[in-house]
Amino acid sequence: ERDYIGFASLPDQIHRKSVKRGFEFTLMVVGESGLGKSTLINSLFLADLYKNRQLTPVEERSEKTTRIEKKTLDIEEKGVRLRLNVIDTPGFGDGVNADDSWRVVTDYIDEQFRQYFMDESGLNRKNIQDNRVHCCLYAVPPWGHSLRQMDLEMMRRLHKKVNIVIVITKADTLTQSEVKRLKANILRDVEANGIQLYKFPECDSDEDDDFKRQDAEMKQSIPFAVVGSNAIFEVGGKKFRGRQYPWGVVDVENPMHSDFIKLRTMLISTHMQDLNDTTQDVHYENFRAQCIAQMAQ
Ligand code: GDP
Ligand code: MG
């Protein structure tokens, strides 16, 4: 006697299929020149994390006029394949005039949506490459009191198109209380200006206590204050990325020193799928609806 027909295995089937196909994730960094964006990307994804692997620059099929730089990393862990794309954008003040710097970024995001939309309506829908931008790390300098007018303007142009995650860079230049105050000011300005940042999902009630604690700690740290470095130190046989000061070394991955590990854990191991889903269900749907409305005119 059977009281089930077996569709409970559906999640496994879907899982197996997507594992076979592999995952794609595209991360973009935006912000003023000199804030440590490129260093942060290296710290997040290079060398020690993936030995013998390098981000390889790839040719862009459409962008010729801008200096947007795309790098791709194919990674495999325990049979799971991930193609990671990193989009480094020209910073404000990087030779692009301020009026245009937002346009370069929004054009890029729109273009990826448009391409996906075309592919999806085309004949070969099965093997669409997903180059849509799933997350935008927005770099904020540590030396201001909060967000600047140009940050707010930039975010206003972006928040309906992409998941924005704010990072305060070079956090090693701030004291603990300065970090705290800056974070509070940023969140206040975000709220006051109606900016919609990436909304971290509620933690499932059936998750274990460790996971819940980790999730709560992560949410309390937003916006992440991070440190990056290209210098590797070795102490007692353990290698780490750090920044050397007369009074000591800042360890990029030490949670007492910065939120770097929280950011990396969030991006790579806990929220990648949700960032993907939100891109599909919210931002891409927005774009699609606009396209269809325009076609109907
Ligand atoms: P980008 O223009 O935003 O890509 O910035 P870069 O990554 O090229 O870094 C600009 C400068 O800031 C370089 O001299 C870096 O060594 C320095 N830098 C990068 N990350 C940090 C950091 O976390 N703390 C400090 N103090 N300096 C940093
Ligand atoms: Mg750079």
Side-chain angles (χ1 to χ4, degrees):
E1 189 188 349
R2 273 165 55 144
D3 56 0
Y4 66 93
I5 52 176
F7 62 79
S9 74
L10 263 175
D12 289 339
Q13 295 171 31
I14 291 171
H15 179 69
R16 221 172 299 133
K17 199 171 149 201
S18 47
V19 165
K20 208 171 141 201
R21 197 170 50 219
F23 296 85
E24 287 168 303
F25 187 75
T26 299
L27 178 72
M28 175 184 248
V29 275
V30 171
E32 206 181 333
S33 169
L35 289 187
K37 301 184 299 297
S38 302
T39 310
L40 178 64
I41 287 175
N42 283 348
S43 307
L44 282 170
F45 301 115
L46 274 185
D48 49 344
L49 187 57
Y50 301 111
K51 290 188 186 57
N52 312 321
R53 281 178 197 276
Q54 295 220 319
L55 288 168
T56 46
V58 291
E59 290 294 324
E60 266 300 35
R61 49 182 161 182
S62 57
E63 306 290 320
K64 280 176 233 81
T65 52
T66 63
R67 294 197 290 123
I68 277 189
E69 197 181 38
K70 177 175 175 178
K71 292 177 177 170
T72 288
L73 185 66
D74 284 303
I75 322 164
E76 188 170 330
E77 259 178 33
K78 297 180 184 164
V80 179
R81 287 186 298 121
L82 169 68
R83 166 161 292 180
L84 178 70
N85 299 312
V86 181
I87 314 293
D88 204 352
T89 61
F92 322 135
D94 241 2
V96 185
N97 75 47
D99 291 343
D100 282 348
S101 60
W102 62 263
R103 195 186 300 277
V104 170
V105 174
T106 55
D107 279 358
Y108 185 87
I109 295 172
D110 284 342
E111 172 60 23
Q112 311 315 310
F113 279 150
R114 203 186 58 81
Q115 189 64 52
Y116 194 89
F117 184 70
M118 303 264 287
D119 289 352
E120 211 180 37
S121 359
L123 288 176
N124 190 17
R125 292 177 25 165
K126 283 224 172 88
N127 300 306
I128 303 180
Q129 264 209 25
D130 185 4
N131 288 310
R132 294 172 298 182
V133 181
H134 300 108
C135 182
C136 171
L137 293 184
Y138 191 98
V140 173
W143 46 76
H145 292 288
S146 182
L147 299 175
R148 300 155 300 179
Q149 208 51 47
M150 68 173 176
D151 293 320
L152 291 168
E153 235 152 77
M154 186 72 165
M155 287 184 201
R156 219 170 276 132
R157 308 223 184 240
L158 289 175
H159 69 162
K160 296 263 170 67
K161 297 178 187 291
V162 69
N163 295 312
I164 301 178
V165 172
I166 296 180
V167 291
I168 300 163
T169 55
K170 304 191 182 186
D172 53 315
T173 62
L174 297 173
T175 67
Q176 285 175 327
S177 57
E178 285 166 341
V179 168
K180 217 170 152 190
R181 193 173 339 129
L182 181 54
K183 284 183 175 185
N185 289 348
I186 288 173
L187 290 181
R188 185 203 58 206
D189 282 0
V190 161
E191 174 95 31
N193 287 276
I195 305 289
Q196 183 65 61
L197 301 180
Y198 169 58
K199 197 166 176 302
F200 289 80
E202 298 282 323
C203 194
D204 281 344
S205 55
D206 58 356
E207 295 285 0
D208 64 42
D209 288 348
D210 264 1
F211 188 92
K212 280 182 190 158
R213 188 170 341 106
Q214 189 195 339
D215 188 69
E217 275 174 18
M218 190 201 59
K219 285 172 180 159
Q220 277 156 21
S221 306
I222 296 165
F224 303 112
V226 296
V227 178
S229 174
N230 292 321
I232 309 286
F233 292 83
E234 191 168 345
V235 174
K238 190 181 168 274
K239 282 190 180 168
F240 64 96
R241 279 172 188 278
R243 306 190 68 84
Q244 172 103 60
Y245 290 96
W247 51 88
V249 179
V250 176
D251 176 355
V252 165
E253 298 196 13
N254 185 331
M256 302 294 286
H257 294 186
S258 86
D259 300 325
F260 176 85
I261 275 296
K262 292 197 182 80
L263 174 65
R264 188 162 79 186
T265 304
M266 185 289 273
L267 287 174
I268 297 178
S269 72
T270 54
H271 287 73
M272 189 176 271
Q273 190 55 46
D274 190 68
L275 287 160
N276 261 299
D277 291 345
T278 310
T279 302
Q280 169 74 26
D281 300 344
V282 179
H283 301 301
Y284 180 62
E285 273 311 307
N286 264 342
F287 178 88
R288 228 178 132 260
Q290 281 167 24
C291 279
I292 290 169
Q294 270 170 21
M295 280 154 63
Q297 273 172 15

Coordinates of all heavy atoms in Angstrom, one line a residue, residues 232-275:
I232 N 50.5 39.2 1.4 CA 50.3 38.0 2.1 C 51.4 37.9 3.3 O 52.5 38.1 3.0 CB 50.5 36.7 1.2 CG1 49.6 36.8 0.0 CG2 50.2 35.5 2.0 CD1 48.1 36.7 0.2
F233 N 50.9 37.6 4.4 CA 51.8 37.5 5.6 C 51.8 36.0 6.0 O 50.9 35.3 5.8 CB 51.4 38.4 6.8 CG 51.5 39.8 6.5 CD1 50.6 40.5 5.8 CD2 52.7 40.5 6.9 CE1 50.7 41.9 5.5 CE2 52.8 41.8 6.6 CZ 51.9 42.5 5.9
E234 N 52.9 35.6 6.7 CA 52.9 34.3 7.2 C 53.4 34.3 8.6 O 54.5 34.8 9.0 CB 53.8 33.4 6.3 CG 53.7 31.9 6.7 CD 54.4 31.0 5.7 OE1 54.7 31.5 4.6 OE2 54.5 29.8 6.0
V235 N 52.5 33.8 9.5 CA 52.8 33.8 10.9 C 52.6 32.4 11.4 O 51.4 31.9 11.3 CB 52.0 34.8 11.7 CG1 52.3 34.6 13.2 CG2 52.4 36.2 11.3
G236 N 53.6 31.7 12.0 CA 53.4 30.3 12.5 C 52.9 29.4 11.5 O 52.0 28.5 11.7
G237 N 53.3 29.5 10.2 CA 52.9 28.6 9.1 C 51.6 28.9 8.5 O 51.2 28.3 7.6
K238 N 50.9 29.9 9.1 CA 49.6 30.3 8.6 C 49.7 31.5 7.7 O 50.2 32.5 8.1 CB 48.6 30.5 9.7 CG 47.2 30.6 9.3 CD 46.2 30.9 10.4 CE 44.8 31.3 9.9 NZ 44.7 32.8 9.6
K239 N 49.2 31.4 6.5 CA 49.2 32.5 5.6 C 48.0 33.3 5.7 O 46.9 32.8 5.8 CB 49.4 32.0 4.1 CG 50.8 31.6 3.8 CD 50.9 31.4 2.3 CE 52.4 30.9 2.0 NZ 52.5 30.4 0.6
F240 N 48.1 34.6 5.6 CA 46.9 35.5 5.6 C 47.2 36.8 4.9 O 48.3 37.3 4.8 CB 46.4 35.7 7.0 CG 47.3 36.5 7.9 CD1 47.1 37.9 8.0 CD2 48.3 35.8 8.6 CE1 48.0 38.6 8.9 CE2 49.2 36.6 9.4 CZ 49.0 37.9 9.6
R241 N 46.1 37.4 4.4 CA 46.2 38.7 3.8 C 46.2 39.7 4.9 O 45.3 39.6 5.8 CB 45.0 38.9 2.9 CG 45.1 38.3 1.5 CD 43.8 38.5 0.8 NE 43.9 37.7 -0.4 CZ 44.5 38.2 -1.5 NH1 44.9 39.4 -1.6 NH2 44.7 37.4 -2.6
G242 N 47.0 40.7 4.8 CA 47.0 41.7 5.8 C 47.6 43.0 5.4 O 48.1 43.2 4.3
R243 N 47.5 44.0 6.3 CA 48.1 45.3 6.1 C 49.0 45.6 7.3 O 48.5 45.6 8.4 CB 47.0 46.4 5.9 CG 46.0 46.1 4.8 CD 45.1 47.3 4.6 NE 45.8 48.3 3.9 CZ 46.0 48.4 2.6 NH1 45.5 47.5 1.8 NH2 46.7 49.4 2.1
Q244 N 50.2 45.9 7.0 CA 51.2 46.2 8.0 C 51.2 47.6 8.4 O 51.3 48.5 7.6 CB 52.6 45.8 7.5 CG 53.7 46.1 8.4 CD 54.2 44.9 9.2 OE1 54.7 44.0 8.6 NE2 54.1 45.0 10.5
Y245 N 51.1 47.9 9.7 CA 51.2 49.2 10.3 C 52.3 49.2 11.3 O 52.8 48.1 11.8 CB 49.9 49.6 10.9 CG 48.9 49.9 9.9 CD1 47.9 48.9 9.5 CD2 48.9 51.1 9.2 CE1 47.0 49.1 8.5 CE2 47.9 51.3 8.2 CZ 47.0 50.3 7.8 OH 46.1 50.5 6.8
P246 N 52.8 50.4 11.7 CA 53.9 50.4 12.7 C 53.5 49.7 14.0 O 54.3 49.1 14.7 CB 54.1 51.9 13.0 CG 53.6 52.6 11.7 CD 52.5 51.7 11.2
W247 N 52.2 49.7 14.3 CA 51.8 49.1 15.6 C 51.3 47.7 15.4 O 50.8 47.0 16.4 CB 50.7 50.0 16.2 CG 49.6 50.3 15.2 CD1 48.5 49.5 15.0 CD2 49.5 51.4 14.3 NE1 47.7 50.1 14.0 CE2 48.3 51.3 13.6 CE3 50.4 52.5 14.1 CZ2 48.0 52.2 12.6 CZ3 50.0 53.4 13.1 CH2 48.8 53.3 12.4
G248 N 51.3 47.1 14.2 CA 50.8 45.8 14.1 C 50.2 45.5 12.7 O 50.3 46.4 11.8
V249 N 49.7 44.3 12.5 CA 49.2 43.9 11.2 C 47.7 43.7 11.3 O 47.2 43.1 12.2 CB 49.8 42.5 10.7 CG1 49.2 42.1 9.4 CG2 51.3 42.7 10.6
V250 N 46.9 44.3 10.4 CA 45.5 44.1 10.3 C 45.3 42.8 9.4 O 45.8 42.7 8.3 CB 44.8 45.3 9.5 CG1 43.3 45.0 9.4 CG2 45.0 46.5 10.3
D251 N 44.6 41.9 10.0 CA 44.3 40.6 9.3 C 43.0 40.8 8.6 O 41.9 40.9 9.3 CB 44.3 39.5 10.3 CG 43.9 38.1 9.7 OD1 43.6 38.1 8.5 OD2 44.0 37.1 10.4
V252 N 43.0 40.8 7.3 CA 41.8 41.0 6.5 C 40.6 40.1 6.9 O 39.5 40.5 7.0 CB 42.1 40.8 5.0 CG1 40.8 40.7 4.2 CG2 42.9 42.0 4.5
E253 N 41.0 38.8 7.3 CA 40.0 37.8 7.5 C 39.6 37.7 9.0 O 38.7 36.9 9.4 CB 40.4 36.4 7.0 CG 40.6 36.4 5.5 CD 40.6 35.0 5.0 OE1 40.3 34.1 5.7 OE2 41.0 34.9 3.8
N254 N 40.2 38.5 9.9 CA 39.9 38.5 11.3 C 38.6 39.2 11.5 O 38.5 40.4 11.3 CB 41.0 39.1 12.1 CG 40.8 38.9 13.6 OD1 39.7 38.9 14.1 ND2 41.9 38.9 14.3
P255 N 37.6 38.5 12.0 CA 36.3 39.2 12.2 C 36.3 40.3 13.3 O 35.4 41.2 13.3 CB 35.3 38.1 12.7 CG 36.2 36.9 13.1 CD 37.5 37.1 12.4
M256 N 37.4 40.3 14.1 CA 37.5 41.5 15.0 C 38.0 42.7 14.3 O 37.9 43.8 14.7 CB 38.5 41.1 16.1 CG 38.2 39.9 17.0 SD 36.7 40.1 17.9 CE 37.4 41.2 19.2
H257 N 38.7 42.5 13.2 CA 39.3 43.6 12.5 C 38.4 44.2 11.4 O 38.5 45.4 11.1 CB 40.6 43.1 11.8 CG 41.7 42.8 12.8 ND1 43.0 42.5 12.4 CD2 41.7 42.7 14.1 CE1 43.7 42.2 13.4 NE2 42.9 42.3 14.5
S258 N 37.5 43.4 10.8 CA 36.6 43.9 9.8 C 35.5 42.9 9.5 O 35.5 41.8 9.9 CB 37.4 44.3 8.5 OG 37.5 43.2 7.6
D259 N 34.6 43.4 8.6 CA 33.4 42.5 8.2 C 33.7 41.7 6.9 O 32.8 41.2 6.3 CB 32.2 43.3 8.0 CG 31.8 44.1 9.2 OD1 31.9 43.6 10.3 OD2 31.3 45.3 9.0
F260 N 35.0 41.7 6.6 CA 35.4 41.0 5.3 C 34.8 39.6 5.2 O 34.2 39.2 4.2 CB 36.9 41.0 5.2 CG 37.4 40.3 3.9 CD1 37.5 41.0 2.7 CD2 37.8 39.0 4.0 CE1 38.0 40.3 1.6 CE2 38.2 38.3 2.9 CZ 38.3 39.0 1.7
I261 N 35.0 38.8 6.2 CA 34.6 37.4 6.2 C 33.1 37.3 6.1 O 32.6 36.4 5.4 CB 35.2 36.6 7.4 CG1 36.6 36.2 7.1 CG2 34.3 35.4 7.7 CD1 36.7 35.2 5.9
K262 N 32.4 38.2 6.7 CA 30.9 38.2 6.6 C 30.5 38.4 5.2 O 29.6 37.8 4.7 CB 30.3 39.2 7.6 CG 30.5 38.9 9.0 CD 29.6 39.7 9.9 CE 29.8 39.4 11.4 NZ 30.9 40.2 11.9
L263 N 31.2 39.4 4.6 CA 30.8 39.7 3.2 C 31.1 38.5 2.3 O 30.3 38.2 1.5 CB 31.6 40.9 2.7 CG 31.5 41.3 1.2 CD1 30.1 41.7 0.9 CD2 32.5 42.4 0.8
R264 N 32.3 37.9 2.5 CA 32.6 36.8 1.6 C 31.7 35.6 1.8 O 31.2 35.0 0.9 CB 34.0 36.4 1.8 CG 34.4 35.4 0.7 CD 35.9 35.3 0.5 NE 36.5 34.5 1.6 CZ 37.8 34.3 1.8 NH1 38.7 34.9 0.9 NH2 38.3 33.5 2.7
T265 N 31.4 35.3 3.1 CA 30.5 34.2 3.4 C 29.1 34.5 2.8 O 28.5 33.6 2.2 CB 30.4 34.0 4.9 OG1 31.6 33.9 5.5 CG2 29.5 32.9 5.3
M266 N 28.7 35.7 2.9 CA 27.3 36.1 2.4 C 27.3 35.8 0.9 O 26.4 35.2 0.4 CB 27.1 37.5 2.8 CG 25.8 38.2 2.5 SD 25.5 38.5 0.8 CE 26.3 40.1 0.5
L267 N 28.3 36.4 0.2 CA 28.3 36.3 -1.3 C 28.5 34.8 -1.7 O 27.7 34.4 -2.6 CB 29.5 37.1 -1.8 CG 29.3 38.6 -1.8 CD1 30.6 39.3 -2.3 CD2 28.2 39.1 -2.7
I268 N 29.4 34.1 -1.2 CA 29.8 32.9 -1.7 C 29.0 31.7 -1.2 O 28.5 30.8 -1.9 CB 31.3 32.6 -1.5 CG1 32.1 33.6 -2.3 CG2 31.6 31.2 -2.1 CD1 33.5 33.5 -2.2
S269 N 28.8 31.7 0.2 CA 28.2 30.5 0.7 C 26.7 30.6 1.2 O 26.1 29.6 1.3 CB 29.1 29.8 1.6 OG 29.2 30.5 2.8
T270 N 26.3 31.7 1.6 CA 24.9 31.7 2.1 C 23.9 32.4 1.2 O 22.7 32.0 1.2 CB 24.9 32.4 3.5 OG1 25.5 33.7 3.5 CG2 25.6 31.5 4.5
H271 N 24.2 33.5 0.5 CA 23.2 34.3 -0.2 C 23.3 34.3 -1.7 O 22.6 35.1 -2.3 CB 23.2 35.7 0.4 CG 22.5 35.7 1.8 ND1 23.2 35.2 2.9 CD2 21.3 36.1 2.2 CE1 22.4 35.3 3.9 NE2 21.3 35.9 3.6
M272 N 24.2 33.5 -2.3 CA 24.4 33.6 -3.7 C 23.0 33.2 -4.4 O 22.6 33.9 -5.4 CB 25.5 32.7 -4.2 CG 25.8 32.8 -5.6 SD 27.2 31.8 -6.1 CE 28.6 32.9 -5.8
Q273 N 22.4 32.2 -4.0 CA 21.2 31.8 -4.6 C 20.1 32.8 -4.5 O 19.3 33.1 -5.4 CB 20.7 30.4 -4.1 CG 19.6 29.8 -4.9 CD 19.9 29.7 -6.3 OE1 21.0 29.2 -6.7 NE2 18.9 30.0 -7.2
D274 N 20.0 33.4 -3.3 CA 18.9 34.4 -3.1 C 19.2 35.7 -3.9 O 18.3 36.3 -4.4 CB 18.8 34.8 -1.6 CG 17.6 35.6 -1.4 OD1 16.4 35.1 -1.5 OD2 17.7 36.9 -1.1
L275 N 20.4 36.0 -4.1 CA 20.8 37.1 -5.0 C 20.4 36.8 -6.4 O 19.9 37.7 -7.1 CB 22.3 37.5 -4.9 CG 22.7 38.1 -3.6 CD1 24.2 37.9 -3.3 CD2 22.4 39.6 -3.6

